[in-house]
Amino acid sequence: MTTFRHAPAQPTDPADALPAGDPQWTVDSPAVGTGLTARPCGDGLRPAEPPATTRPVALALSGGGFRATLAALGFVRLLADAGLLSGLRYSSSVSGGSVANGCLATAWPALREAGFTARAVDDVLIAPVVDRVSHHSLKHALIGGLWRTLGPTTRTDLLARRLDEWFLGGTELERLDAQVRWIVNAANQTTGARFTFERDVYGDYTIGLAPTAGTGLRLSRAVSASAAVPGAFPPVVLDRHPFPCATHPPALLDGGTYDNTGLEAIDGDRYRHTFLCALNAGGLLRPGVYGRVPVVRDLARANSLLYRQSTTLRTRAVVERFERARAVGPDEAVPHGARRGVLVQLSTRFPADRSGALGRWHAAFTEQPVFQGRHLALVPTVFDRLDAGLCRALVQRGWWLGGAALAAFHPELLPDDLTALSPPRP
């Protein structure tokens, strides 16, 4: 584990740190107080709020490699079909979901100009990603560029370059469209907190936020940090960026190591009037052993159990808020501690009941959770080339699940005539 020098619990100047050689675990960073109690920085900088709208929507997209990326694009397509995409005001993501979020943020001006139609989402957003992922391997592109890492460039730097070349076109954070709060989440191993990249600010609550203006910080840097899986990619170290309460540089890893749902950024009570659309396309806990090497397999399974626990707890908390909102009815004000929205996983199974809006959804659109004999929730978590048919199946799965969730819990948001909708292009 990375170590740092000790520094005072109430730091004033990093030069006051004790001599090197006195190791300190990263989670005991002075930024969170020497010990186990986190302390907020107390700085006053906050991200700008997006413009108001009649029916604001928030999007939460989980990690899960290109499986999550493609399913997330289908989920976004459903929002366009339902006429909800124009109301998007918050979009929070992790890892593979951050690839989709970055593509959506980059395409947003073009989508708005086209009226946020389903066809525009197909043409501007989905088709280019499917074409790239089905014809090229990001993993092989990274391996082919490893020679570049012989100097100061890291594998995560290389990932950011490839993301720019493939999807993001060198977009800078401060140039993102202000209509939406774009939130790309990483995990800060220095402080043990969620680290946020947004259009106007970046940082975490223990070290404070810094403005993005004038930094040249790219969206690809945020997405690469969000997807920097430990072991495969080294941390993104922001050693030239000032944060008001930091005494050591942030070292950023895959946001899924902290919160793979992307929910924490937008789950506070202040967002209760925003309709939440959450997709968890993360990996599932596999039965059986995790390899043949005793220590490695046991650690891998323990890590999977911890991941399952954290995502389950977050999901349970959100569902409880949904239930409180349903208890007061669709036309009443949303009370404190409640929220309206939908949350689905790739493995979600909706009841076979064929009555009501959900029944009409089943009748209008065939569920296709399996591709070539394998459930889509079990597609490996990779950033590798995927079969074109598999790409389209994942997009369709995200679209179908989003529609089924609205039909089951918020049918008022779907048209009475479901034939007005159409699945993503095969």
Side-chain angles (χ1 to χ4, degrees):
M1 181 179 288
T2 306
T3 58
F4 297 106
R5 294 179 296 169
H6 278 295
Q10 298 289 342
T12 56
D13 189 326
D16 293 334
L18 296 177
D22 194 0
Q24 173 186 315
W25 295 113
T26 53
V27 293
D28 288 331
S29 163
V32 294
T34 304
L36 302 177
T37 302
R39 292 180 301 163
C41 173
D43 62 314
L45 187 61
R46 291 295 178 268
E49 285 299 314
T53 187
T54 304
R55 182 180 287 158
V57 174
L59 191 59
L61 303 174
S62 80
F66 280 149
R67 177 188 67 237
T69 301
L70 293 159
L73 295 181
F75 203 56
V76 169
R77 168 58 150 70
L78 188 280
L79 296 184
D81 261 319
L84 298 174
L85 189 56
S86 62
L88 183 66
R89 291 297 179 266
Y90 304 90
S91 189
S92 175
S93 63
V94 177
S95 197
S98 289
V99 176
N101 199 14
C103 292
L104 177 60
T106 303
W108 190 257
L111 292 175
R112 181 174 53 220
E113 184 176 354
F116 296 111
T117 63
R119 178 163 185 170
V121 173
D122 284 336
D123 293 342
V124 176
L125 186 60
I126 296 176
V129 176
V130 169
D131 181 68
R132 175 65 70 172
V133 172
S134 63
H135 286 88
H136 305 276
S137 168
L138 180 58
K139 181 179 74 173
H140 291 166
L142 294 173
I143 293 173
L146 283 179
W147 62 272
R148 296 178 180 273
T149 64
L150 297 177
T153 301
T154 69
R155 295 188 302 280
T156 314
D157 295 330
L158 190 60
L159 174 60
R161 291 183 184 179
R162 293 293 179 261
L163 289 171
D164 265 334
E165 294 168 3
W166 282 35
F167 305 119
L168 306 179
T171 303
E172 294 183 2
L173 285 175
E174 66 174 307
R175 305 297 180 191
L176 293 178
D177 197 287
Q179 189 175 20
V180 180
R181 257 188 70 189
W182 307 103
I183 306 168
V184 178
N185 299 290
N188 187 352
Q189 73 167 0
T190 307
T191 64
R194 177 184 65 86
F195 189 99
T196 185
F197 289 94
E198 303 198 26
R199 179 183 62 85
D200 48 349
V201 297
Y202 64 121
D204 71 42
Y205 82 99
T206 69
I207 63 175
L209 298 177
T212 59
T215 64
L217 194 60
R218 292 186 175 184
L219 178 59
S220 60
R221 172 62 67 197
V223 176
S224 67
S226 182
V229 179
F233 297 99
V236 173
V237 180
L238 302 179
D239 55 357
R240 298 180 181 178
H241 300 251
F243 297 94
C245 295
T247 58
H248 299 296
L252 309 179
L253 296 170
D254 186 336
T257 61
Y258 179 84
D259 168 23
N260 199 50
T261 66
L263 285 168
E264 182 177 280
I266 50 176
D267 71 352
D269 201 52
R270 63 190 293 260
Y271 301 104
R272 71 182 186 278
H273 298 295
T274 303
F275 189 85
L276 174 63
C277 297
L279 173 67
N280 184 358
L284 301 178
L285 180 70
R286 295 188 288 106
V289 297
Y290 278 53
R292 297 182 179 276
V293 181
V295 175
V296 173
R297 75 187 182 200
D298 293 342
L299 287 174
R301 188 158 185 82
N303 181 67
S304 293
L305 286 167
L306 290 171
Y307 162 78
R308 179 179 175 84
Q309 179 191 44
S310 66
T311 55
T312 298
L313 289 173
R314 291 189 185 279
T315 297
R316 184 179 300 162
V318 169
V319 170
E320 287 175 352
R321 293 179 184 179
F322 289 167
E323 293 293 338
R324 293 190 194 109
R326 291 183 69 194
V328 301
D331 299 323
E332 300 296 325
V334 180
H336 289 281
R339 189 158 195 185
R340 293 192 175 99
V342 294
L343 185 153
V344 291
Q345 303 180 94
L346 290 189
S347 58
T348 296
R349 296 182 64 183
F350 285 91
D353 180 12
R354 292 298 187 261
S355 63
L358 180 57
R360 291 189 290 110
W361 181 265
H362 274 286
F365 307 109
T366 303
E367 182 176 10
Q368 301 174 31
V370 175
F371 179 78
Q372 295 185 347
R374 178 171 58 184
H375 198 287
L376 293 169
L378 299 177
V379 171
T381 303
V382 295
F383 287 112
D384 205 350
R385 179 182 176 275
L386 299 181
D387 178 87
L390 175 58
C391 291
R392 290 190 289 270
L394 285 164
V395 171
Q396 200 274 345
R397 181 63 174 163
W399 179 87
W400 191 93
L401 285 168
L406 288 181
F409 301 106
H410 294 278
E412 71 279 4
L413 298 181
L414 291 174
D416 293 332
D417 181 10
L418 293 179
T419 61
L421 308 181
S422 60
R425 293 174 187 168

